[in-house]
Amino acid sequence: MKKIGFLSFGHWANHPAYKTRTASDTLLQSIDLAVAAEEIGVDGAYFRVHHFAAQLASPFPLLSAIGAKTSKIEIGTGVIDMRYENPLYMVEDAGAADLISEGRLQLGISRGSPEQVIEGWRYFGYEPKEGENDADMGRRKAMEFLERLDGVGFAQPNPTPMFPNPPGLLRLEPYSKGLRERIWWGAASNATAVWAAENRMHLQSSTLKFDESGKPFHVQQAEQIRLYKEAWKKAGHPGEPRVSVSRSIFALVNDQDRLYFGQEANRVDQIGMIEPGRNAIFGRSYAAEPDKLIKELAEDEAIQEADTLLLTIPNTLGVDYNVHVLSSILEHVAPGLGWR
């Protein structure tokens, strides 16, 4: 049994083939898709976060709206770039969204990846401290966010407040008990996966990672996941860690599927660069008739290691088609792999 969710990049553009021509289209269709996905049995609705782009950015209004319109589906991000965030304000936003959804928030965060503009976080008013780089800053903010999620008071109360205070130091409100246990870290390397485990975060591993061995992507990702699990166990944390991997998977069950994704059938891993001087390996897409797809996915070692699979969806093709994409996996592929 695996949890199966979708991951939307939230694109929009004034393109004749797009169902999402505006930001409003994308936001409203994201809500509708999450509602429909819950109805067909999808386990999670996750959204990418990118600034300075025609894509979804500030996630908490969207997550709150989905939380208010659904009752079972997990809602989350993959991932929030912590370089752009005020950790304390984010604690308040996340707490509110989690309470609205009654404890269904699964929040993916990370130190950030290459963005649309040069050092975009500076426009948000942030810069690294002396001796830090931007990645260090992102991790530092993540640690402050985690600390404040614990709900322990830290702020000195005003002796003459507008409203009566409880005794002792004050915490941020609204506080959502249990949210600290549902924070995920998006790791692109083995070392950061281990760091995530040591700091009691679940692991999100995407469709790319730094190329650290020259092996196929799914093999490197599986090794990363095993290192993460070992580090969690060594740290002595209670409970079992969760691990998600993202994949582009399309079951070709009709002519429309073959028109859109038939050309993806022979894709292979690719090597690229997301940071100067450091190669990354990008995992292949999967597109085939269900029987063939089942055989190919059974050989993906990282999927076998993970408990959660996030299906990257073509959100620009609209709600109805994406419901079809998700339904095809649930009906024609998941049972053959023992996921359902």
Side-chain angles (χ1 to χ4, degrees), residues 84-314:
Y84 286 80
E85 296 297 321
N86 177 322
L88 302 190
Y89 198 87
M90 185 172 162
V91 167
E92 295 179 344
D93 276 348
D98 196 46
L99 291 170
I100 289 170
S101 69
E102 298 182 298
R104 289 182 282 128
L105 196 62
Q106 302 285 342
L107 205 61
I109 64 175
S110 188
R111 61 92 161 177
S113 59
E115 291 294 303
Q116 297 299 108
V117 301
I118 298 170
E119 297 182 343
W121 28 270
R122 292 191 186 274
Y123 294 97
F124 280 54
Y126 304 119
E127 59 181 72
K129 293 182 177 180
E130 185 175 354
E132 280 187 333
N133 59 29
D134 63 301
D136 296 330
M137 176 178 68
R139 283 187 283 267
R140 170 172 54 81
K141 288 186 173 191
M143 295 308 295
E144 185 175 5
F145 174 66
L146 293 176
E147 181 181 6
R148 299 311 178 200
L149 278 178
D150 278 334
V152 176
F154 64 94
Q156 190 68 39
N158 187 342
T160 56
M162 180 178 293
F163 308 105
N165 280 324
L169 299 177
L170 301 183
R171 69 186 183 190
L172 292 166
E173 301 288 354
Y175 169 66
S176 185
K177 185 178 180 181
L179 178 56
R180 171 61 182 85
E181 310 308 317
R182 286 177 273 114
I183 306 301
W184 304 60
W185 184 261
S189 70
N190 292 348
T192 51
V194 169
W195 178 83
E198 292 170 346
N199 287 285
R200 199 161 48 91
M201 288 182 280
H202 303 299
L203 178 66
Q204 286 186 339
S205 196
S206 184
T207 51
L208 66 88
K209 71 177 296 293
F210 291 122
D211 186 4
E212 299 181 81
S213 68
K215 296 177 183 177
F217 170 76
H218 73 101
V219 175
Q220 290 199 49
Q221 192 176 48
E223 291 172 347
Q224 179 195 45
I225 294 169
R226 286 191 283 269
L227 287 170
Y228 165 81
K229 291 178 178 178
E230 290 169 8
W232 181 283
K233 184 177 181 180
K234 183 177 180 181
H237 299 315
E240 291 294 324
R242 288 185 60 183
V243 177
S244 73
V245 295
S246 303
R247 291 290 185 273
S248 297
I249 304 173
F250 301 100
L252 307 181
V253 299
N254 61 31
D255 290 340
Q256 189 177 31
D257 298 331
R258 285 182 276 274
L259 174 65
Y260 283 147
F261 299 107
Q263 74 278 5
E264 302 284 330
N266 298 314
R267 290 289 179 93
V268 296
D269 294 347
Q270 296 181 345
I271 299 293
M273 190 175 291
I274 58 172
E275 285 187 2
R278 195 166 188 188
N279 285 342
I281 184 167
F282 297 76
R284 57 164 293 192
S285 299
Y286 292 92
E289 278 68 28
D291 289 349
K292 183 178 180 183
L293 206 52
I294 290 169
K295 293 178 181 177
E296 292 178 345
L297 292 171
E299 297 176 357
D300 190 311
E301 292 185 19
I303 291 179
Q304 309 312 317
E305 289 286 345
D307 59 82
T308 301
L309 174 63
L310 300 183
L311 302 170
T312 60
I313 59 164

Side-chain angles (χ1 to χ4, degrees), residues 9-30:
F9 282 60
H11 293 286
W12 70 85
N14 189 20
H15 187 286
Y18 280 19
K19 302 291 187 181
T20 53
R21 303 285 184 90
T22 67
S24 177
D25 291 340
T26 296
L27 287 163
L28 294 174
Q29 289 184 31
S30 295

Side-chain angles (χ1 to χ4, degrees), residues 47-109:
F47 300 90
R48 290 290 299 270
V49 179
H50 284 290
H51 303 286
F52 298 104
Q55 299 177 47
L56 295 171
S58 177
F60 292 106
L62 175 61
L63 297 176
S64 297
I66 292 172
K69 286 205 163 189
T70 58
S71 60
K72 295 181 293 185
I73 196 168
E74 294 180 342
I75 54 176
T77 51
V79 291
I80 296 174
D81 185 337
M82 293 303 296
R83 296 174 299 180
Y84 286 80
E85 296 297 321
N86 177 322
L88 302 190
Y89 198 87
M90 185 172 162
V91 167
E92 295 179 344
D93 276 348
D98 196 46
L99 291 170
I100 289 170
S101 69
E102 298 182 298
R104 289 182 282 128
L105 196 62
Q106 302 285 342
L107 205 61
I109 64 175

